[in-house]
Amino acid sequence: MTIITTERSDALAAYCAQRIFQPGPEVYIAGNPFRRPIGPPGTGDRDFSVPATEAEFLSGGQLVAGRVLCNAYESDMILLPAEGLAAAKDDFDLFYGDEVRRLRDTVRPDLERYAFSFLDDAVTVPPVRTLDELQAYFLAEVGGAGAPADASGTNPAVDAAAPVTGTMRAITECRHPEEAAALHLIQLALDALTEASAMARNLGGSYGVEQSELFKIFNDEFGYGVYGAKHSTIFKEMLASVGLRTDVHAYWNFYLTSSLVGVNYFNWLTEDHRGMFRYMAAVTYLEWLFAQGFADTGAMLRAVYGDRVDAKYCDEHAHIDIHHGRMTYENLLLGLARTHGELVIPELVRGIEDTKLLLRLGDADFRAQIAWADTLDDHAEAGAALASSALDDAVTSTLRPDSPFCTGVYETDRLIEVTAGEVDVYAWATEHPHRLGAGDVLLVPRSRLHGLKAASPEARVTVRTVERTSHDG
């Protein structure tokens, strides 16, 4: 158990209370990458002294820690609004200012311990020690994960015409497939709009041929200095083609907990260079998966949006990541193992095992979110049926159109009852939120991300706990 001192607790409260981290009335944040609401007043008073367990992976604490850590890591990156800095200069100065950076450096180590310590207990590292064992282990893993591989370690062409399956199929089968596909793109945007920025932290220094190999991949990600070919640029074009905003963190309120933890994991490994071996192995594993993964994503997007989607980003990754997979396997994973031997091989394997777990947890989180968001009518019926059995722990609030908006999750199943006025429920980033009127009751399963906004001049909402025998989130 880690004891967080009063000084550090005060620093977290002070960090969360910064103006740019407080919610405003807007659902989407346009033209200002420095405004990042962490939570409602009092969020910084949470107790982070005991690390979250795997069972608490989708807890409110992990969501808050994920938002703070994302802010902390990205304050080492240069972010500027596409339309110019004039309207956001004060926020720019605050985000990169001395006080916020001092608070960031004070709170980050404890939040990293809180957010990532569960991996030590949840991940079992196979007894891989030699180069031959590492090769056999890796090829078995990428083959088992669906990545094309053969005994020589070559990653051949992917099947771009493969049927849509798994999560991609779940998206296409939703009642609202465009909303589900958009939410998937938004999760990708958390990293894709600053693509390879975490990787950039591992480019400096002097550590042999592996450094040059990583730089080759970085160069590809940045389009060899051609802005139009930069991967984040073609990702923006894909977003724009289906009517989504392209500003960095325009959809800040709609990043799922698992998405924040997953992206933060890579920033954590590159911020603390003791994690470089885990990082190099994780990148290798992902590059092998990305080729087929983005081919599948492209097929899903075309099935949902038809000809209007510009899926060049997916096509580019389905192509280039075949090459990146081969490069990282031969020259990063095996290269580091050859040079440093059994001293680092367990860390390489740990990076892959961590990534496997985070991918599995993230996939489950996303599928649970779209399953809930897609059936809010059904959950309103369930809420009405459960209203008489809710606990006597009601918390009532009054909402107005200009009230602060911030998404969050509950630790237990809750019932949201509108007792006056009308309220819009945002369960995914949509221009058509779910409307609740006076007397309506909505069941919100634990861990499901949502936000409420008044759709009338004034609305009153009561939230109560309900106990169920099973959970879907």
Side-chain angles (χ1 to χ4, degrees):
M1 175 175 173
T2 301
I3 303 299
I4 297 182
T5 65
T6 300
E7 177 186 1
R8 290 180 178 178
S9 297
D10 291 346
L12 180 60
Y15 186 91
C16 293
Q18 296 295 312
R19 174 177 52 78
I20 52 176
F21 303 142
Q22 292 290 299
E26 63 273 14
V27 175
Y28 309 107
I29 303 170
N32 191 332
F34 317 114
R35 291 195 58 81
R36 299 146 174 261
I38 295 171
T43 295
D45 297 329
R46 295 184 72 109
D47 181 10
F48 291 96
S49 62
V50 179
T53 64
E54 183 179 353
E56 297 168 321
F57 179 71
L58 300 179
S59 66
Q62 276 285 31
L63 178 61
V64 170
R67 287 171 172 170
V68 174
L69 287 173
C70 181
N71 293 349
Y73 297 131
E74 292 195 352
S75 64
D76 279 338
M77 304 175 189
I78 297 174
L79 303 171
L80 293 174
E83 300 303 318
L85 189 58
K89 181 58 164 61
D90 289 345
D91 293 345
F92 168 88
D93 289 339
L94 182 57
F95 185 69
Y96 293 117
D98 292 344
E99 177 65 7
V100 169
R101 287 190 294 114
R102 182 187 68 79
L103 293 170
R104 171 202 70 183
D105 292 342
T106 301
V107 305
R108 192 176 68 194
D110 289 325
L111 290 180
E112 289 171 335
R113 192 176 300 110
Y114 172 88
F116 302 123
S117 290
F118 80 95
L119 293 169
D120 294 335
D121 298 321
V123 170
T124 300
V125 180
V128 177
R129 293 293 182 271
T130 68
L131 183 65
D132 288 343
E133 289 173 348
L134 179 62
Q135 289 179 290
Y137 160 80
F138 181 79
L139 294 178
E141 286 298 331
V142 295
D150 60 31
S152 68
T154 300
N155 189 347
V158 301
D159 183 0
V164 177
T165 60
T167 297
M168 298 301 103
R169 181 175 180 179
I171 291 171
T172 64
E173 292 180 347
C174 279
R175 298 175 187 175
H176 308 88
E178 291 196 9
E179 303 286 14
L183 189 66
H184 178 66
L185 290 176
I186 287 164
Q187 306 316 301
L188 297 179
L190 174 57
D191 176 67
L193 291 179
T194 57
E195 191 155 351
S197 292
M199 183 182 292
R201 293 194 186 98
N202 275 345
L203 295 179
S206 177
Y207 54 92
V209 67
E210 294 82 15
Q211 184 179 21
S212 296
E213 293 300 320
L214 187 67
F215 187 78
K216 292 175 186 176
I217 297 170
F218 179 83
N219 231 0
D220 284 341
E221 304 288 358
F222 269 66
Y224 283 81
V226 178
Y227 182 73
K230 189 170 179 276
H231 284 182
S232 61
T233 302
I234 59 177
F235 186 83
K236 288 181 180 180
E237 293 168 352
M238 181 166 65
L239 292 178
S241 73
V242 295
L244 292 175
R245 295 164 171 82
T246 60
D247 298 330
V248 173
H249 299 323
Y251 297 100
W252 174 265
N253 278 308
F254 298 95
Y255 297 141
L256 299 179
T257 307
S258 60
S259 300
L260 288 161
V261 176
V263 171
N264 285 341
Y265 173 77
F266 284 86
N267 280 299
W268 174 51
L269 294 185
T270 56
E271 186 71 33
D272 180 347
H273 290 312
R274 291 173 297 179
M276 70 161 293
F277 296 105
R278 289 194 204 183
Y279 173 82
M280 297 297 190
V283 164
T284 301
Y285 181 68
L286 288 177
E287 293 291 349
W288 276 76
L289 300 190
F290 279 166
Q292 186 64 56
F294 277 107
D296 294 344
T297 300
M300 177 275 291
L301 292 173
R302 290 182 172 100
V304 171
Y305 293 111
D307 292 340
R308 76 180 190 272
V309 66
D310 178 357
K312 179 183 176 182
Y313 179 87
C314 297
D315 298 340
E316 170 69 9
H317 279 76
H319 164 71
I320 196 66
D321 286 341
I322 296 172
H323 178 52
H324 286 175
R326 183 169 56 251
M327 289 172 61
T328 52
Y329 172 69
E330 281 291 342
N331 302 319
L332 289 184
L333 186 76
L334 299 186
L336 290 168
R338 290 189 188 101
T339 301
H340 303 285
E342 296 186 22
L343 186 68
V344 303
I345 289 175
E347 275 293 286
L348 295 170
V349 175
R350 173 65 186 272
I352 294 169
E353 293 295 324
D354 282 357
T355 303
K356 285 169 53 182
L357 177 60
L358 291 171
L359 288 175
R360 177 174 62 79
L361 295 174
D363 188 63
D365 184 23
F366 178 80
R367 293 182 72 157
Q369 184 72 19
I370 64 172
W372 175 64
D374 201 43
T375 56
L376 293 185
D377 284 332
D378 297 339
H379 282 79
E381 292 180 7
L386 291 167
S388 62
S389 61
L391 301 183
D392 186 19
D393 62 350
V395 176
T396 300
S397 58
T398 299
L399 299 177
R400 296 179 179 83
D402 61 351
S403 294
F405 177 87
C406 190
T407 53
V409 300
Y410 295 132
E411 308 291 345
T412 58
D413 295 343
R414 302 288 177 89
L415 297 181
I416 294 177
E417 180 177 1
V418 179
T419 58
E422 293 183 313
V423 170
D424 282 338
V425 180
Y426 288 84
W428 45 26
T430 175
E431 301 298 334
H432 308 286
H434 186 82
R435 181 68 55 85
L436 296 177
D440 288 339
V441 184
L442 178 68
L443 171 63
V444 180
R446 63 184 172 91
S447 305
R448 291 302 106 227
L449 190 74
H450 67 285
L452 304 176
K453 192 167 185 64
S456 56
E458 184 173 287
R460 287 196 299 277
V461 174
T462 297
V463 179
R464 293 182 292 164
T465 303
V466 62
E467 295 179 343
R468 296 191 295 153
T469 57
S470 62
H471 298 281
D472 63 347

